[in-house]
Amino acid sequence: MVIKKGITAEEKVETFKAELDRIFDIKIREFTKLCVISAPDYFFLDCPASSTAKYHPIDELAHDGTIIHTKRVFTLVYELCRGLGVENRRDELCSASLIHDLLKQSYVKTGHTHKKHPQYAAELVDKVQKATMLLTDEEHQIIRNCVGFHYGLWSTPPWVKPLADYTMEELTVYIADYVASKRCVAVDYKR
Ligand SMILES: [Fe+2]
């Protein structure tokens, strides 16, 4: 297996073209695209979904594992937001699903999942919003909170609260991430 050494902004966007095209609000799509471009290169080049190989479907253990995982979370979020009654926020939830693991190993490649990665992804959301102001305050809060709370029971401060206090939007992204990471579940993201 040959792992590429570098990646351009265009290639980063191309990686998630199918998903970005399913975000209908132009500003939310552009915002998400900028977050994807701002993600560290290692995410696209060498980032297995599980650094210990104990979790996640087997096909997510290779260098492109977190990309595949992210596409599966996106697929589940797209469907679940209807079933959980938050379809009016589908664009924000789809955006959060693409952003939630962009800093999985921290700002630089560490070789393992960083337990603060939800915080780092929320910082990315804040940074891109501050630079562009593409989102309304409400859209910004929904995306940053869905990203920040996506780790559910495994969260670390300041992103800890009882699941009973999760909004339906936050719960949708958490459940999608949790379910997509299970080996007993096969999510067809190419459909
Ligand atoms: Fe995830």
Side-chain angles (χ1 to χ4, degrees):
M1 173 181 45
V2 178
I3 295 174
K4 279 175 63 182
K5 287 214 163 52
I7 182 159
T8 64
E10 291 73 26
E11 287 171 322
K12 288 181 179 182
V13 171
E14 188 60 30
T15 302
F16 289 118
K17 185 182 182 307
E19 289 75 22
L20 287 164
D21 284 349
R22 292 169 79 185
I23 297 176
F24 290 91
D25 183 284
I26 294 168
K27 288 184 177 176
I28 297 177
R29 188 194 311 141
E30 185 61 22
F31 174 85
T32 312
K33 197 186 286 184
L34 292 171
C35 288
V36 166
I37 290 171
S38 304
D41 289 0
Y42 78 76
F43 175 91
F44 299 91
L45 300 174
D46 186 18
C47 189
S50 172
S51 42
T52 61
K54 280 194 286 189
Y55 312 104
H56 284 268
I58 301 295
D59 63 351
E60 295 178 11
L61 301 182
H63 63 96
D64 58 352
T66 306
I67 293 172
I68 296 172
H69 163 70
T70 299
K71 287 173 177 279
R72 289 181 169 141
V73 176
F74 179 97
T75 302
L76 286 180
V77 159
Y78 196 94
E79 298 296 337
L80 270 179
C81 67
R82 179 153 193 228
L84 293 175
V86 285
E87 208 175 14
N88 58 326
R89 293 298 181 187
R90 191 178 61 202
D91 283 342
E92 290 92 332
L93 300 193
C94 286
S95 172
S97 71
L98 290 186
I99 298 167
H100 84 284
D101 272 349
L102 287 177
L103 290 128
K104 177 114 174 171
Q105 295 188 6
S106 183
Y107 286 93
V108 293
K109 185 172 167 56
T110 60
H112 63 266
T113 300
H114 199 297
K115 63 180 192 295
K116 289 237 173 258
H117 75 271
Q119 165 67 15
Y120 299 149
E123 288 170 6
L124 175 64
V125 168
D126 290 346
K127 191 181 82 176
V128 174
Q129 170 65 357
K130 198 171 170 203
T132 65
M133 296 306 285
L134 277 165
L135 305 176
T136 65
D137 284 349
E138 198 179 14
E139 292 163 349
H140 175 218
Q141 285 307 312
I142 291 172
I143 294 173
R144 90 182 289 277
N145 287 337
C146 285
V147 163
F149 286 115
H150 87 260
Y151 225 12
L153 301 178
W154 293 268
S155 296
T156 55
W159 297 101
V160 179
K161 65 177 178 179
L163 289 181
D165 293 344
Y166 270 49
T167 65
M168 200 53 82
E169 289 87 352
E170 292 157 5
L171 210 50
T172 301
V173 176
Y174 167 53
I175 291 171
D177 186 44
Y178 184 82
V179 171
S181 68
K182 296 293 159 257
R183 277 193 190 153
C184 61
V185 177
V187 181
D188 182 3
Y189 62 89
K190 292 176 182 164
R191 191 167 56 87

